[in-house]
Amino acid sequence: MRKAMIMLLGFLPYIASSQSSNGAIKGVIHTSDGQPAASVTVHLKGSDRMALTAESGDFIFRGIHHGHDTLEVSLVGYETLLQPVDVSEGQTVKVSLQLVLSTNQLHDVIIAGNGNNWVRRRTDDLAKMPLANLENAQSLSIVNKSLMDEQSAFTVDQAIANVPGINKLWDATGRAGDGGSYFTSRGFSVQSTLRDGVAGNITGTIDGADIERLEVLKGPSGTLFGSALTSFGGLINMLSKRPYDGFGGEASYAGGTYSYNRLAADFNTPLDSAHKILFRINTSYTSQNSFQDFGFSRRFMIAPTLFYKASDKLNFLVQAEVYKGEQTTPEIMYFNTTVSALGVNNAKYLNEGYSRSYMSNDLTISNGNTNFFGKMNYALSKNWKSQTSVALTQSAADGYQPYFYLTAGDTALQRMVWKPVGGDNALDIQENVNGHFNIGGMQNRFLGGLDYYHYHANIAYQQYMGYTPQTGTMEGIFDVVASKGYAPNYQNFNKAKVDSAFANSEAAPYYNDMYSANTYSAYVSDVLNITDNLIASAAVRVDRYDNKGNFDPTMGIASGDYGQTVVSPKFGLVYQIVPEKLSLFGNYQNGFINENGTDYQGKAFKPEQANQWETGVKADAFDGKLSGTVSYYDIKVNNMVRSYPSNPLLSIQDGTQISKGVEAEVYVNPFPGFNFMGGVSYNDAKYTQADADVNGRRPTTAGSPTTADLWASYRLVKGPAKGLGLGVGGNYASDNKIQNAVSTGVFTLPAYTLVNASVFYDAAKFRIALKVNNLTNQQYWIGYTTVDPQQLRSVVASVAVKW
């Protein structure tokens, strides 16, 4: 950590040397409907200097000699703007421009000059107010669509691999009540459950067709986002594509290894002559077979969006998102033995055939989501605005979930199966009021919010129970199959035999997950510019959780209802050593999880709490050619429930866990056409007061302690082959202990390094690409408490037509 900070601070003399008594031009550009205009070319006429607006519409020219200048702003489909500017010595001139629509035919962007369009320097969602990254006292990472396109990253899983410290633990199961894939962040599991800052869960693999970018907030974030949709490791927020004022779109096809096929389309158009009603629809269909002998997935999504500008002060956004899919469950191997009895302690030594699935293609599960979203934005005054958001998510699933158990001796796998049926739904209503005002010459950016979240689950899990000759008892084991070599019953694990087994089973118990819960929250936040360099922030949330209890359909009643109230604060401090270029930051963050039950004395449990202290450095220097963050964090979790030492059948709520580490990411654009991004992370997580079986050990949900990611690309920016490019990168994860207890022993998933590469040609009207994933054909496993083999080398070719 100390070395990293010294290296970043070593840039200070060079950054400072770029400052002079010359002036600057700072501005923001909006489209004709008032939305920020991203990736717009701004040319300083009479020179070769150009800037590219960020996604917030912001741009800046520094080191401007005093005198008269002219800005030329160009975006295809809009009239070219010429804006005269007079700059005095040492003065920063601020301009605000709005593009004027000239045609309805094109929306393509003219991209020229320097700057890394992978970097987003401002976000409205992660602080629930517009805030530049260098003003935000918390670590965050953003994956833009431009990077996803270059990498042929078609899913959230593929895109999130670019975020330092994020590592996949589980593939999406498609199970009722579940979400997408599981990841680890700062030692805690997290899923993609937020869409545009509100509830947006998807049951299954999440397609990227409707995603403009991913925003990842690191560490406990309960103050602004509550506990239902976040974890102590942070949150993943998916930002959806929005309609724009113009006619345009894209249609694409991708095909490749393992019968991979994907069709996608993006269509946008105004619906009225006044261009007050804008419409956009995104859709995709994807099918792929497993790299193993059996297994497949099929999924379809469609997402229409309507924007209506009622007046200069009032607008509405209405969206829908429909997912339908069918898949076999990814191979997941649990432990039904100790590591010593198994006979191996590392996945690379297992007898299980890496390319064998041990199931059939007709043991499938069907799932789907129907989600609706609405936002109303109203300008209360020049400095104050209101945003009302409503999200309704509904998911359902029906089918089979095969699981496998490793057994003593590592010569056979036990196969078992569940039938989860049902679904869940959530309603999220938020009201946020933002404003800015001055007190004593200090600028305040204020947020006040109310949040109502309702969740309802109605899921039944039926487990097969049959007679097991090896034990002479009724167990949930369907059969036992040889791990490798000759297995005469290998293909018996199919729908016909499973249906028959369920029908003839003397005991196929149901486990019902039926309950409702309401959360009522209020929060306030303020970001205070004490000086031009020093920024302080503070926020607090009051959260009331009301669980209605679990419903027993056989009794017709609910029981176990409870309620808890939590106060969740956060504080932050930012000092900009060089304004808008280099800042130091620190924060205190809080998160919480509601706990039900009583301890050994009969006292009701309190919510589990996580408290984080974090400090770091953020940079955005050399006219955007160098951007990055280095941070150190320390998280302590209190009020964890563990076994009461004097009577293990009872519980005590005094458990603790720590998770601390270092994260760093950097974006570099040293010369036009070349971009590099990279990140590393190290996490040290362990139980500090827990059951003797695991005390002092790393949690099995914490993932690999050390991870790294990088991607570098070069594209031609001029000449007849302009747009031709090459990219290469990959990911590294260290050893992962997925069994780590005195009673079970230690079992490790080995470290792995994945290498990916792509070649592409991106022109104004089309894009073609060839991508190779897992170039070295590495065998590797992910999992937490489980062993899950991952896909071998695959090749995907794609073509897109733009209009």
Side-chain angles (χ1 to χ4, degrees), residues 260-283:
Y260 181 83
N261 287 280
R262 182 178 189 269
L263 290 167
D266 179 357
F267 177 77
N268 186 93
T269 184
L271 295 181
D272 68 323
S273 58
H275 292 228
K276 290 186 176 182
I277 305 176
L278 309 176
F279 176 74
R280 188 171 188 176
I281 187 168
N282 285 271
T283 186

Side-chain angles (χ1 to χ4, degrees), residues 724-785:
L724 179 64
L726 174 70
V728 64
N731 297 87
Y732 166 80
S734 62
D735 288 352
N736 178 12
K737 297 177 180 179
I738 50 95
Q739 292 290 314
N740 190 18
V742 175
S743 60
T744 63
V746 177
F747 189 91
T748 302
L749 304 182
Y752 62 84
T753 301
L754 301 180
V755 179
N756 308 314
S758 71
V759 59
F760 54 88
Y761 181 55
D762 200 350
K765 292 297 182 183
F766 66 92
R767 181 179 65 251
I768 56 176
L770 181 69
K771 174 76 178 296
V772 182
N773 295 304
N774 194 0
L775 184 65
T776 61
N777 207 34
Q778 167 131 44
Q779 291 187 2
Y780 70 105
W781 298 262
I782 64 171
Y784 65 109
T785 74

Side-chain angles (χ1 to χ4, degrees), residues 386-460:
S386 164
Q387 183 179 83
T388 305
S389 302
V390 179
L392 176 63
T393 69
Q394 300 171 308
S395 73
D398 185 0
Y400 295 98
Q401 291 266 267
Y403 293 107
F404 308 92
Y405 287 93
L406 298 166
T407 61
D410 190 31
T411 59
L413 278 176
Q414 292 176 332
R415 302 194 285 195
M416 62 89 71
V417 62
W418 289 79
K419 288 179 66 175
V421 178
D424 62 358
N425 59 74
L427 172 65
D428 192 0
I429 302 175
Q430 285 187 23
E431 170 60 30
N432 292 309
V433 175
N434 288 101
H436 60 89
F437 56 90
N438 291 339
I439 295 179
M442 296 183 293
Q443 183 190 36
N444 290 262
R445 281 167 285 184
F446 177 82
L447 162 72
L450 298 172
D451 189 0
Y452 168 72
Y453 181 77
H454 169 78
Y455 178 80
H456 176 74
N458 186 357
I459 307 168

